[in-house]
Amino acid sequence: MRDMVPVQARDGLSELRRGVLEYCVLAVVSERESYGFDIVRYLGRSGGLVTSEGTIYPLLARLRRDGLVTTSWRESVSGPPRRYYRITEGGRRSLEAFAADWDAFRAAVDRVLAGRSGEGEADG
Amino acid sequence: MAEELIADYLARLDAAAMALTPTRREELRAEVAEHIESALADAGTRDEATVRNVLDRLGRAEDIVEAEAEAGPTSLTRGTMPAAWPPTTQRGWGWVEVLGVLVLSLGSLVLLVIGPLVGLVFVWASDRWNGRQKWIATAIVLIAMVAQFVLIAALFDVGMHGVQSSPTTMIPEPVFTAGPQPMFTAGPVPSMPEGSVSGSSGGTSLLTLWLIALTVFPISTTGSWLAAIYLALSMRRQ
């Protein structure tokens, strides 16, 4: 039974990651126009945000369909032209709304977690 | 070895991406291939360990395609299509399909009526054509056959009894046996002169019968050919 706990926690984390990843992608392309691998590299450097890097491409396709990002082809110094992603006005609005919600959400989770650890210390 | 790993990975992606639209499939493949190239360029080496690392980080090809399905149904062909789509090996020509089309087109030359019907049995046994295509092919064959019988019956009637005869009372049974095998009707015809308007017309009606048979004979054959062509074309479109 004890082994089950970390597995469930990891599943919960991957759900959470999946939910926030699109906004992280929007945040990256809101700073500057980027191509796929660029976005993945940046998110990878930020640590633990992307587990299967390949799944970023279906996500980018959806953001494009939803009109949150636009793309343009650019020549690259090495190899074939690359598809660059840039945020749209709609994408920016969506990102701002999420950023505000996220602040409140994070604060709430932090408060609950802090309260629980406080109780744990009292019990111990 | 490193290049083989990449080729294997992209092949797995292709296989997993069969449910996507062709456009999106190519797009996704190009993006993933570009990702691999960028990552390797970034690493500055293409040795096996580096390639393995890059592919590991990409994740399973199947997971990428699965994420595509989660990202919305628009990237898939249509709501229910992926499930209904048979796997790759179930598409294209198999021996049942080749037999079906061959027997359908050549069968009538060997055995009238029965030949094309055997062809249709093969067609219905195949799972590569959908129900609609099978029904269309069957309808073409049957309509042509019925048209041939009706024409033979009508012309036979006119040839035997003249235009004055009432068609309702004058469709004699032998007409129908003459239908499927018009070539062999020469024998029985003279044995039924009761309906003839005059005895002198016996010789001419035999000749007329032959002409009718030769004129009308190609109708059902053409129908079978049309059905075969239709099935072959609809196979190519898939």
Side-chain angles (χ1 to χ4, degrees), chain B residues 93-183:
Chain B
W93 292 91
W95 66 271
V96 180
E97 291 71 32
V98 173
L99 264 179
V101 169
L102 271 183
V103 174
L104 199 53
S105 50
L106 303 178
S108 63
L109 301 181
V110 181
L111 199 60
L112 267 182
V113 182
I114 307 293
L117 289 182
V118 171
L120 281 179
V121 170
F122 282 114
V123 169
W124 278 95
S126 161
D127 55 357
R128 320 281 162 99
W129 287 295
N130 61 34
R132 189 172 151 270
Q133 292 165 335
K134 289 173 183 173
W135 276 116
I136 289 176
T138 308
I140 296 174
V141 172
L142 292 184
I143 288 172
M145 280 181 185
V146 169
Q148 175 173 319
F149 290 146
V150 169
L151 263 173
I152 287 178
L155 291 174
F156 188 64
D157 199 36
V158 172
M160 287 298 288
H161 316 293
V163 275
Q164 288 88 0
S165 309
S166 156
T168 44
T169 55
M170 283 306 176
I171 296 176
E173 271 181 59
V175 169
F176 286 98
T177 56
Q181 293 164 316
M183 298 307 210

Coordinates of all heavy atoms in Angstrom, one line a residue, chain B residues 93-183:
Chain B
W93 N -5.8 -4.1 -52.2 CA -6.3 -5.4 -52.9 C -5.8 -6.6 -52.1 O -4.6 -6.7 -51.8 CB -5.7 -5.4 -54.3 CG -6.3 -4.3 -55.2 CD1 -5.8 -3.1 -55.4 CD2 -7.4 -4.4 -56.0 NE1 -6.6 -2.4 -56.2 CE2 -7.6 -3.2 -56.6 CE3 -8.3 -5.5 -56.2 CZ2 -8.6 -3.0 -57.5 CZ3 -9.4 -5.2 -57.1 CH2 -9.5 -4.0 -57.7
G94 N -6.7 -7.5 -51.9 CA -6.4 -8.9 -51.5 C -6.9 -9.8 -52.5 O -7.4 -9.4 -53.5
W95 N -6.7 -11.1 -52.3 CA -7.0 -12.1 -53.3 C -8.5 -12.2 -53.5 O -9.0 -12.4 -54.6 CB -6.4 -13.5 -53.1 CG -7.0 -14.2 -51.8 CD1 -6.5 -14.1 -50.6 CD2 -8.1 -15.0 -51.8 NE1 -7.2 -14.8 -49.7 CE2 -8.2 -15.4 -50.4 CE3 -9.0 -15.5 -52.7 CZ2 -9.2 -16.3 -50.0 CZ3 -10.0 -16.4 -52.2 CH2 -10.1 -16.7 -50.9
V96 N -9.3 -11.9 -52.4 CA -10.8 -12.0 -52.6 C -11.2 -10.8 -53.5 O -12.1 -11.0 -54.3 CB -11.4 -11.8 -51.2 CG1 -12.9 -11.8 -51.3 CG2 -11.0 -12.9 -50.3
E97 N -10.6 -9.7 -53.3 CA -11.0 -8.5 -54.1 C -10.6 -8.7 -55.6 O -11.4 -8.4 -56.5 CB -10.3 -7.2 -53.6 CG -10.8 -6.8 -52.3 CD -10.4 -7.7 -51.1 OE1 -9.2 -8.3 -51.2 OE2 -11.1 -7.9 -50.1
V98 N -9.4 -9.2 -55.9 CA -9.0 -9.5 -57.2 C -9.9 -10.5 -57.9 O -10.4 -10.3 -59.0 CB -7.5 -10.0 -57.3 CG1 -7.1 -10.4 -58.7 CG2 -6.6 -8.9 -56.7
L99 N -10.2 -11.6 -57.2 CA -11.1 -12.6 -57.7 C -12.5 -12.0 -58.0 O -13.1 -12.3 -59.0 CB -11.3 -13.7 -56.7 CG -10.4 -15.0 -56.9 CD1 -10.6 -16.0 -55.8 CD2 -10.7 -15.6 -58.2
G100 N -13.0 -11.2 -57.0 CA -14.3 -10.6 -57.2 C -14.4 -9.8 -58.4 O -15.3 -10.0 -59.3
V101 N -13.4 -8.9 -58.7 CA -13.5 -8.0 -59.9 C -13.2 -8.9 -61.1 O -13.9 -8.6 -62.1 CB -12.4 -6.9 -59.7 CG1 -12.3 -6.2 -61.0 CG2 -12.8 -6.0 -58.6
L102 N -12.3 -9.8 -61.1 CA -12.1 -10.7 -62.3 C -13.3 -11.5 -62.7 O -13.7 -11.5 -63.8 CB -10.9 -11.6 -62.0 CG -9.5 -11.1 -62.3 CD1 -8.4 -12.1 -62.0 CD2 -9.4 -10.6 -63.8
V103 N -13.9 -12.2 -61.7 CA -15.0 -13.0 -62.0 C -16.2 -12.2 -62.4 O -16.9 -12.6 -63.3 CB -15.4 -13.9 -60.7 CG1 -16.6 -14.7 -61.0 CG2 -14.2 -14.9 -60.4
L104 N -16.3 -11.0 -61.8 CA -17.4 -10.1 -62.2 C -17.3 -9.7 -63.6 O -18.3 -9.6 -64.4 CB -17.4 -8.9 -61.2 CG -18.6 -8.1 -61.1 CD1 -19.8 -9.0 -60.8 CD2 -18.5 -7.0 -60.0
S105 N -16.0 -9.4 -64.0 CA -15.9 -8.8 -65.4 C -15.8 -9.9 -66.4 O -16.3 -9.8 -67.6 CB -14.6 -7.9 -65.5 OG -13.5 -8.6 -64.9
L106 N -15.2 -11.1 -66.1 CA -15.0 -12.2 -67.1 C -16.0 -13.3 -67.0 O -16.2 -14.0 -67.9 CB -13.6 -12.8 -67.0 CG -12.4 -11.7 -67.1 CD1 -11.1 -12.4 -66.9 CD2 -12.5 -11.1 -68.5
G107 N -16.7 -13.3 -65.8 CA -17.6 -14.4 -65.5 C -18.7 -14.6 -66.5 O -19.1 -15.7 -66.9
S108 N -19.2 -13.4 -67.0 CA -20.4 -13.5 -68.0 C -19.9 -14.1 -69.3 O -20.8 -14.6 -70.1 CB -21.0 -12.1 -68.1 OG -20.0 -11.3 -68.7
L109 N -18.6 -14.1 -69.6 CA -18.2 -14.7 -70.9 C -18.1 -16.2 -70.7 O -18.3 -16.9 -71.7 CB -16.8 -14.1 -71.2 CG -16.7 -12.6 -71.4 CD1 -15.2 -12.2 -71.7 CD2 -17.6 -12.1 -72.4
V110 N -17.9 -16.6 -69.5 CA -17.8 -18.1 -69.3 C -19.2 -18.7 -69.1 O -19.6 -19.6 -69.7 CB -17.0 -18.4 -68.0 CG1 -16.9 -19.9 -67.8 CG2 -15.6 -17.8 -68.2
L111 N -20.0 -18.0 -68.2 CA -21.3 -18.5 -67.8 C -22.2 -17.3 -67.6 O -22.0 -16.6 -66.6 CB -21.2 -19.4 -66.6 CG -22.3 -20.4 -66.3 CD1 -22.5 -21.3 -67.5 CD2 -22.1 -21.2 -65.1
L112 N -23.1 -17.1 -68.5 CA -24.1 -16.0 -68.3 C -24.8 -16.0 -67.0 O -25.1 -17.1 -66.5 CB -25.1 -16.0 -69.5 CG -24.8 -15.2 -70.7 CD1 -25.9 -15.3 -71.7 CD2 -24.5 -13.8 -70.4
V113 N -25.1 -14.9 -66.4 CA -25.8 -14.7 -65.2 C -25.1 -15.3 -64.0 O -24.8 -14.7 -63.0 CB -27.2 -15.4 -65.2 CG1 -28.0 -15.1 -63.9 CG2 -28.0 -14.7 -66.4
I114 N -24.7 -16.6 -64.1 CA -24.1 -17.3 -62.9 C -22.7 -16.7 -62.7 O -22.3 -16.4 -61.5 CB -24.0 -18.8 -63.2 CG1 -25.3 -19.4 -63.5 CG2 -23.4 -19.5 -61.9 CD1 -26.3 -19.4 -62.4
G115 N -22.0 -16.5 -63.7 CA -20.6 -15.9 -63.6 C -20.6 -14.6 -62.8 O -19.9 -14.6 -61.7
P116 N -21.3 -13.6 -63.2 CA -21.3 -12.3 -62.5 C -21.8 -12.5 -61.0 O -21.3 -11.9 -60.1 CB -22.2 -11.4 -63.3 CG -22.2 -12.0 -64.6 CD -22.0 -13.5 -64.5
L117 N -22.7 -13.4 -60.8 CA -23.3 -13.6 -59.5 C -22.2 -14.2 -58.6 O -22.1 -13.8 -57.4 CB -24.5 -14.5 -59.5 CG -25.8 -13.9 -60.1 CD1 -26.9 -14.9 -60.1 CD2 -26.1 -12.6 -59.4
V118 N -21.4 -15.1 -59.1 CA -20.3 -15.7 -58.3 C -19.3 -14.5 -58.0 O -18.8 -14.4 -56.8 CB -19.6 -16.8 -59.1 CG1 -18.3 -17.2 -58.4 CG2 -20.5 -18.0 -59.3
G119 N -19.1 -13.6 -59.0 CA -18.2 -12.5 -58.7 C -18.8 -11.7 -57.6 O -18.0 -11.2 -56.7
L120 N -20.1 -11.4 -57.5 CA -20.7 -10.7 -56.5 C -20.5 -11.3 -55.1 O -20.4 -10.7 -54.1 CB -22.2 -10.5 -56.8 CG -22.5 -9.4 -57.8 CD1 -24.0 -9.3 -58.0 CD2 -22.0 -8.0 -57.3
V121 N -20.6 -12.7 -55.1 CA -20.4 -13.4 -53.8 C -19.0 -13.0 -53.3 O -18.8 -12.7 -52.1 CB -20.5 -14.9 -54.0 CG1 -20.0 -15.7 -52.8 CG2 -21.9 -15.3 -54.4
F122 N -18.0 -13.0 -54.1 CA -16.6 -12.6 -53.7 C -16.6 -11.2 -53.2 O -16.0 -10.9 -52.1 CB -15.6 -12.8 -54.8 CG -15.2 -14.2 -55.1 CD1 -15.5 -14.9 -56.2 CD2 -14.4 -14.9 -54.1 CE1 -15.1 -16.2 -56.5 CE2 -14.1 -16.2 -54.3 CZ -14.4 -16.8 -55.5
V123 N -17.3 -10.3 -53.9 CA -17.3 -8.9 -53.5 C -17.9 -8.8 -52.1 O -17.4 -8.1 -51.3 CB -18.1 -8.1 -54.6 CG1 -18.4 -6.7 -54.0 CG2 -17.4 -8.0 -55.9
W124 N -19.0 -9.5 -51.9 CA -19.7 -9.4 -50.6 C -18.8 -10.0 -49.5 O -19.0 -9.7 -48.3 CB -21.1 -10.0 -50.6 CG -22.1 -9.0 -51.2 CD1 -22.5 -9.0 -52.5 CD2 -22.7 -8.0 -50.5 NE1 -23.4 -7.9 -52.6 CE2 -23.6 -7.3 -51.4 CE3 -22.8 -7.5 -49.2 CZ2 -24.3 -6.2 -51.1 CZ3 -23.5 -6.4 -48.8 CH2 -24.3 -5.8 -49.8
A125 N -18.0 -11.0 -49.9 CA -17.1 -11.6 -48.9 C -16.0 -10.7 -48.4 O -15.4 -10.9 -47.4 CB -16.6 -13.0 -49.4
S126 N -15.7 -9.7 -49.3 CA -14.6 -8.8 -49.0 C -14.9 -7.8 -47.9 O -16.1 -7.4 -47.8 CB -14.2 -8.1 -50.3 OG -13.4 -7.0 -49.9
D127 N -13.9 -7.4 -47.1 CA -14.2 -6.4 -46.1 C -13.5 -5.1 -46.5 O -13.4 -4.1 -45.8 CB -13.7 -6.8 -44.7 CG -12.2 -7.2 -44.8 OD1 -11.6 -7.2 -45.8 OD2 -11.6 -7.5 -43.7
R128 N -13.0 -5.0 -47.7 CA -12.3 -3.8 -48.2 C -13.3 -2.8 -48.8 O -13.0 -1.7 -49.0 CB -11.2 -4.1 -49.2 CG -10.4 -5.4 -48.8 CD -9.4 -5.1 -47.8 NE -8.9 -6.3 -47.2 CZ -7.8 -7.0 -47.5 NH1 -7.0 -6.4 -48.4 NH2 -7.5 -8.1 -46.9
W129 N -14.4 -3.3 -49.3 CA -15.5 -2.4 -49.8 C -16.5 -2.2 -48.7 O -16.8 -3.1 -48.0 CB -16.1 -2.9 -51.0 CG -15.3 -2.9 -52.2 CD1 -14.8 -1.8 -52.9 CD2 -14.8 -4.0 -53.0 NE1 -14.0 -2.2 -54.0 CE2 -14.0 -3.5 -54.0 CE3 -14.9 -5.4 -52.8 CZ2 -13.3 -4.4 -55.0 CZ3 -14.3 -6.2 -53.7 CH2 -13.5 -5.7 -54.8
N130 N -17.1 -1.0 -48.6 CA -18.1 -0.8 -47.6 C -19.5 -1.2 -48.2 O -19.6 -1.5 -49.4 CB -18.1 0.6 -47.1 CG -18.4 1.7 -48.1 OD1 -19.2 1.4 -49.1 ND2 -17.8 2.8 -48.0
G131 N -20.5 -1.3 -47.3 CA -21.8 -1.8 -47.7 C -22.4 -1.0 -48.9 O -23.0 -1.6 -49.8
R132 N -22.1 0.3 -48.9 CA -22.7 1.2 -49.9 C -22.1 0.8 -51.3 O -22.9 0.6 -52.3 CB -22.4 2.6 -49.6 CG -23.1 3.6 -50.5 CD -22.9 5.0 -50.0 NE -22.9 5.9 -51.1 CZ -21.9 6.3 -51.8 NH1 -20.7 5.8 -51.5 NH2 -22.0 7.1 -52.8
Q133 N -20.8 0.6 -51.3 CA -20.2 0.2 -52.6 C -20.6 -1.1 -53.0 O -20.9 -1.3 -54.2 CB -18.6 0.2 -52.4 CG -18.1 1.6 -52.1 CD -16.7 1.6 -51.6 OE1 -16.2 0.7 -51.0 NE2 -15.9 2.7 -51.8
K134 N -20.8 -2.1 -52.1 CA -21.3 -3.4 -52.5 C -22.7 -3.3 -53.1 O -23.0 -4.0 -54.1 CB -21.2 -4.3 -51.3 CG -19.8 -4.7 -50.8 CD -19.9 -5.5 -49.5 CE -18.5 -5.8 -49.0 NZ -18.5 -6.4 -47.7
W135 N -23.5 -2.6 -52.4 CA -24.9 -2.5 -52.9 C -25.0 -1.8 -54.3 O -25.7 -2.2 -55.2 CB -25.8 -1.7 -51.9 CG -26.3 -2.5 -50.8 CD1 -26.0 -2.4 -49.5 CD2 -27.2 -3.6 -50.9 NE1 -26.6 -3.4 -48.8 CE2 -27.4 -4.2 -49.6 CE3 -27.8 -4.2 -52.0 CZ2 -28.2 -5.3 -49.4 CZ3 -28.7 -5.3 -51.7 CH2 -28.8 -5.8 -50.4
I136 N -24.1 -0.8 -54.5 CA -24.1 -0.1 -55.8 C -23.7 -1.1 -56.9 O -24.4 -1.2 -57.9 CB -23.2 1.1 -55.8 CG1 -23.8 2.2 -54.9 CG2 -22.9 1.6 -57.2 CD1 -23.0 3.5 -54.7
A137 N -22.6 -1.9 -56.6 CA -22.2 -2.8 -57.6 C -23.2 -3.9 -57.9 O -23.5 -4.2 -59.0 CB -20.9 -3.5 -57.1
T138 N -23.9 -4.4 -56.8 CA -24.9 -5.4 -57.0 C -26.1 -4.8 -57.8 O -26.6 -5.5 -58.7 CB -25.4 -5.8 -55.6 OG1 -24.3 -6.2 -54.8 CG2 -26.4 -7.0 -55.7
A139 N -26.5 -3.6 -57.5 CA -27.6 -3.0 -58.2 C -27.3 -2.8 -59.7 O -28.1 -3.1 -60.5 CB -27.9 -1.6 -57.6
I140 N -26.0 -2.4 -60.0 CA -25.7 -2.3 -61.4 C -25.8 -3.6 -62.2 O -26.4 -3.7 -63.2 CB -24.2 -1.8 -61.6 CG1 -24.1 -0.4 -61.0 CG2 -23.8 -1.7 -63.1 CD1 -22.6 0.2 -60.9
V141 N -25.3 -4.7 -61.5 CA -25.3 -6.0 -62.2 C -26.8 -6.5 -62.3 O -27.2 -6.9 -63.4 CB -24.6 -7.0 -61.3 CG1 -24.8 -8.5 -61.8 CG2 -23.1 -6.7 -61.3
L142 N -27.6 -6.3 -61.2 CA -28.9 -6.9 -61.3 C -29.8 -6.1 -62.3 O -30.6 -6.6 -63.0 CB -29.5 -6.9 -59.9 CG -28.9 -7.9 -58.9 CD1 -29.6 -7.9 -57.6 CD2 -28.9 -9.3 -59.5
I143 N -29.7 -4.7 -62.2 CA -30.5 -3.9 -63.1 C -30.2 -4.2 -64.6 O -31.1 -4.4 -65.4 CB -30.2 -2.4 -62.9 CG1 -30.9 -2.0 -61.5 CG2 -30.8 -1.5 -64.0 CD1 -30.6 -0.6 -61.1
A144 N -28.9 -4.4 -64.9 CA -28.5 -4.8 -66.3 C -29.1 -6.1 -66.7 O -29.6 -6.3 -67.8 CB -27.0 -4.8 -66.4
M145 N -29.1 -7.1 -65.7 CA -29.7 -8.4 -66.0 C -31.2 -8.4 -66.3 O -31.7 -8.9 -67.2 CB -29.4 -9.4 -64.8 CG -28.0 -10.0 -64.9 SD -27.8 -11.1 -63.5 CE -26.1 -11.5 -63.6
V146 N -31.8 -7.6 -65.4 CA -33.3 -7.5 -65.5 C -33.6 -6.8 -66.8 O -34.5 -7.2 -67.6 CB -33.9 -6.7 -64.3 CG1 -35.3 -6.4 -64.6 CG2 -33.8 -7.6 -63.0
A147 N -32.8 -5.7 -67.1 CA -33.1 -5.0 -68.4 C -32.9 -5.9 -69.6 O -33.7 -5.9 -70.5 CB -32.1 -3.8 -68.5
Q148 N -31.9 -6.8 -69.5 CA -31.7 -7.7 -70.6 C -32.9 -8.7 -70.7 O -33.4 -8.9 -71.9 CB -30.4 -8.5 -70.3 CG -30.2 -9.6 -71.4 CD -28.8 -10.2 -71.2 OE1 -27.8 -9.6 -70.9 NE2 -28.7 -11.5 -71.3
F149 N -33.3 -9.2 -69.6 CA -34.5 -10.2 -69.7 C -35.7 -9.5 -70.2 O -36.4 -10.1 -71.1 CB -34.8 -10.7 -68.3 CG -33.7 -11.7 -67.8 CD1 -33.4 -11.7 -66.5 CD2 -33.0 -12.5 -68.7 CE1 -32.4 -12.6 -66.0 CE2 -32.0 -13.4 -68.3 CZ -31.7 -13.4 -66.9
V150 N -36.0 -8.3 -69.8 CA -37.2 -7.6 -70.2 C -37.1 -7.4 -71.7 O -38.0 -7.6 -72.4 CB -37.4 -6.3 -69.4 CG1 -38.4 -5.4 -70.0 CG2 -37.7 -6.6 -67.9
L151 N -35.9 -6.9 -72.2 CA -35.8 -6.6 -73.6 C -35.9 -7.8 -74.4 O -36.6 -7.8 -75.4 CB -34.4 -6.0 -73.8 CG -34.4 -4.4 -73.9 CD1 -33.0 -3.9 -73.9 CD2 -35.2 -4.0 -75.1
I152 N -35.3 -8.9 -74.0 CA -35.4 -10.2 -74.7 C -36.8 -10.6 -74.8 O -37.3 -11.0 -75.9 CB -34.5 -11.3 -74.1 CG1 -33.0 -11.0 -74.3 CG2 -34.9 -12.6 -74.6 CD1 -32.1 -12.0 -73.7
A153 N -37.5 -10.5 -73.6 CA -38.9 -11.0 -73.6 C -39.7 -10.1 -74.6 O -40.5 -10.7 -75.4 CB -39.4 -10.8 -72.2
A154 N -39.5 -8.8 -74.5 CA -40.3 -7.9 -75.4 C -40.0 -8.2 -76.8 O -40.9 -8.3 -77.6 CB -40.0 -6.5 -75.0
L155 N -38.7 -8.2 -77.2 CA -38.4 -8.4 -78.6 C -38.8 -9.7 -79.1 O -39.2 -9.9 -80.2 CB -36.9 -8.1 -78.8 CG -36.4 -6.7 -78.5 CD1 -34.9 -6.6 -78.6 CD2 -37.0 -5.8 -79.6
F156 N -38.6 -10.7 -78.2 CA -39.0 -12.1 -78.6 C -40.5 -12.2 -78.9 O -40.9 -12.7 -79.9 CB -38.7 -13.0 -77.4 CG -38.8 -14.5 -77.7 CD1 -38.0 -15.1 -78.6 CD2 -39.8 -15.2 -77.0 CE1 -38.1 -16.4 -78.8 CE2 -39.9 -16.6 -77.2 CZ -39.0 -17.2 -78.1
D157 N -41.2 -11.5 -78.1 CA -42.6 -11.4 -78.3 C -43.0 -10.8 -79.6 O -43.8 -11.3 -80.4 CB -43.2 -10.5 -77.1 CG -44.7 -10.8 -77.0 OD1 -45.1 -12.0 -77.1 OD2 -45.4 -9.9 -76.7
V158 N -42.4 -9.7 -79.9 CA -42.6 -9.0 -81.1 C -42.2 -9.8 -82.3 O -42.9 -10.0 -83.3 CB -41.9 -7.6 -81.2 CG1 -42.0 -7.0 -82.6 CG2 -42.4 -6.7 -80.1
G159 N -41.0 -10.4 -82.2 CA -40.5 -11.2 -83.3 C -41.4 -12.4 -83.6 O -41.6 -12.8 -84.7
M160 N -41.9 -13.0 -82.5 CA -42.7 -14.3 -82.7 C -44.1 -14.0 -83.1 O -44.7 -14.7 -83.9 CB -42.8 -15.0 -81.3 CG -41.5 -15.7 -81.0 SD -41.0 -17.0 -82.2 CE -42.2 -18.3 -81.9
H161 N -44.7 -12.9 -82.6 CA -46.2 -12.8 -82.8 C -46.6 -11.5 -83.5 O -47.7 -11.2 -83.6 CB -46.9 -12.8 -81.4 CG -46.4 -13.9 -80.5 ND1 -46.6 -15.3 -80.8 CD2 -45.7 -13.9 -79.4 CE1 -46.0 -16.0 -79.9 NE2 -45.4 -15.2 -79.0
G162 N -45.6 -10.6 -83.8 CA -45.9 -9.4 -84.4 C -46.4 -8.4 -83.4 O -46.6 -8.7 -82.2
V163 N -46.4 -7.1 -83.8 CA -46.7 -6.0 -82.8 C -48.1 -6.0 -82.3 O -48.4 -5.4 -81.3 CB -46.4 -4.6 -83.5 CG1 -44.9 -4.3 -83.4 CG2 -46.9 -4.6 -84.9
Q164 N -49.0 -6.7 -83.0 CA -50.4 -6.6 -82.6 C -50.7 -7.4 -81.3 O -51.6 -7.1 -80.6 CB -51.3 -7.2 -83.7 CG -51.5 -6.3 -84.9 CD -50.4 -6.6 -85.9 OE1 -49.5 -7.5 -85.7 NE2 -50.4 -5.9 -87.0
S165 N -49.8 -8.4 -81.0 CA -50.0 -9.2 -79.9 C -50.0 -8.4 -78.6 O -49.3 -7.5 -78.4 CB -48.9 -10.3 -79.8 OG -48.8 -10.9 -81.0
S166 N -50.9 -8.9 -77.7 CA -50.9 -8.2 -76.4 C -49.8 -8.8 -75.5 O -49.7 -10.0 -75.4 CB -52.3 -8.5 -75.7 OG -52.2 -8.4 -74.3
P167 N -49.0 -7.9 -75.0 CA -47.8 -8.4 -74.3 C -48.2 -9.1 -73.0 O -47.5 -10.0 -72.5 CB -47.0 -7.1 -74.0 CG -47.9 -6.0 -74.2 CD -49.0 -6.4 -75.2
T168 N -49.3 -8.7 -72.4 CA -49.7 -9.4 -71.1 C -50.0 -10.8 -71.3 O -49.6 -11.6 -70.4 CB -50.9 -8.6 -70.5 OG1 -51.9 -8.4 -71.5 CG2 -50.5 -7.3 -69.8
T169 N -50.7 -11.1 -72.3 CA -51.1 -12.6 -72.5 C -50.0 -13.3 -73.3 O -50.0 -14.6 -73.2 CB -52.4 -12.7 -73.3 OG1 -52.2 -12.0 -74.5 CG2 -53.5 -12.1 -72.5
M170 N -49.1 -12.6 -73.9 CA -48.2 -13.3 -74.9 C -46.8 -13.5 -74.4 O -45.9 -13.6 -75.1 CB -48.2 -12.5 -76.2 CG -49.5 -12.8 -77.0 SD -49.7 -14.6 -77.3 CE -51.2 -14.6 -78.1
I171 N -46.6 -13.4 -73.1 CA -45.2 -13.7 -72.6 C -45.2 -15.2 -72.3 O -45.6 -15.6 -71.2 CB -44.8 -12.9 -71.4 CG1 -44.8 -11.4 -71.8 CG2 -43.5 -13.3 -70.9 CD1 -44.5 -10.4 -70.7
P172 N -44.7 -16.0 -73.2 CA -44.7 -17.4 -73.0 C -43.6 -17.8 -72.2 O -42.5 -17.1 -72.1 CB -44.6 -18.0 -74.4 CG -44.0 -16.9 -75.2 CD -44.1 -15.6 -74.5
E173 N -43.7 -18.9 -71.4 CA -42.6 -19.4 -70.6 C -41.3 -19.6 -71.2 O -40.3 -19.2 -70.7 CB -43.0 -20.7 -69.9 CG -43.8 -20.5 -68.6 CD -44.2 -21.8 -67.9 OE1 -43.3 -22.5 -67.6 OE2 -45.4 -22.0 -67.7
P174 N -41.2 -20.1 -72.4 CA -39.9 -20.3 -73.0 C -39.1 -19.1 -73.1 O -37.9 -19.1 -73.2 CB -40.3 -20.9 -74.4 CG -41.6 -21.5 -74.3 CD -42.3 -20.6 -73.2
V175 N -39.8 -17.9 -73.1 CA -39.0 -16.7 -73.2 C -38.0 -16.6 -72.1 O -36.9 -16.2 -72.2 CB -40.0 -15.5 -73.1 CG1 -39.2 -14.2 -72.9 CG2 -40.8 -15.4 -74.4
F176 N -38.5 -17.0 -70.9 CA -37.6 -16.9 -69.7 C -36.4 -17.9 -69.8 O -35.4 -17.5 -69.3 CB -38.4 -17.0 -68.5 CG -39.2 -15.7 -68.2 CD1 -40.5 -15.7 -68.6 CD2 -38.6 -14.6 -67.7 CE1 -41.3 -14.5 -68.4 CE2 -39.4 -13.4 -67.6 CZ -40.7 -13.4 -67.9
T177 N -36.7 -19.0 -70.3 CA -35.6 -19.9 -70.4 C -34.6 -19.4 -71.5 O -33.4 -19.6 -71.4 CB -36.0 -21.4 -70.8 OG1 -36.8 -21.3 -71.9 CG2 -36.8 -22.0 -69.7
A178 N -35.2 -18.7 -72.4 CA -34.3 -18.1 -73.5 C -33.5 -17.0 -73.0 O -32.4 -16.8 -73.4 CB -35.2 -17.6 -74.6
G179 N -34.0 -16.4 -71.9 CA -33.3 -15.2 -71.4 C -31.8 -15.5 -71.0 O -30.9 -14.9 -71.6
P180 N -31.6 -16.4 -70.1 CA -30.2 -16.5 -69.6 C -29.3 -17.1 -70.7 O -28.1 -16.8 -70.7 CB -30.4 -17.5 -68.5 CG -31.8 -17.7 -68.2 CD -32.6 -17.2 -69.4
Q181 N -29.8 -17.9 -71.6 CA -29.0 -18.6 -72.5 C -29.5 -18.4 -73.9 O -30.0 -19.3 -74.6 CB -28.9 -20.1 -72.2 CG -28.1 -20.3 -70.9 CD -28.4 -21.7 -70.4 OE1 -29.5 -22.2 -70.5 NE2 -27.3 -22.4 -70.0
P182 N -29.5 -17.2 -74.4 CA -30.1 -16.9 -75.7 C -29.5 -17.6 -76.8 O -30.1 -17.9 -77.9 CB -29.9 -15.4 -75.9 CG -28.9 -15.0 -74.9 CD -28.9 -16.0 -73.8
M183 N -28.2 -18.1 -76.7 CA -27.5 -18.8 -77.7 C -28.2 -20.1 -78.0 O -28.0 -20.7 -79.1 CB -26.1 -19.0 -77.4 CG -25.3 -17.7 -77.2 SD -25.5 -16.6 -78.6 CE -24.0 -15.7 -78.5

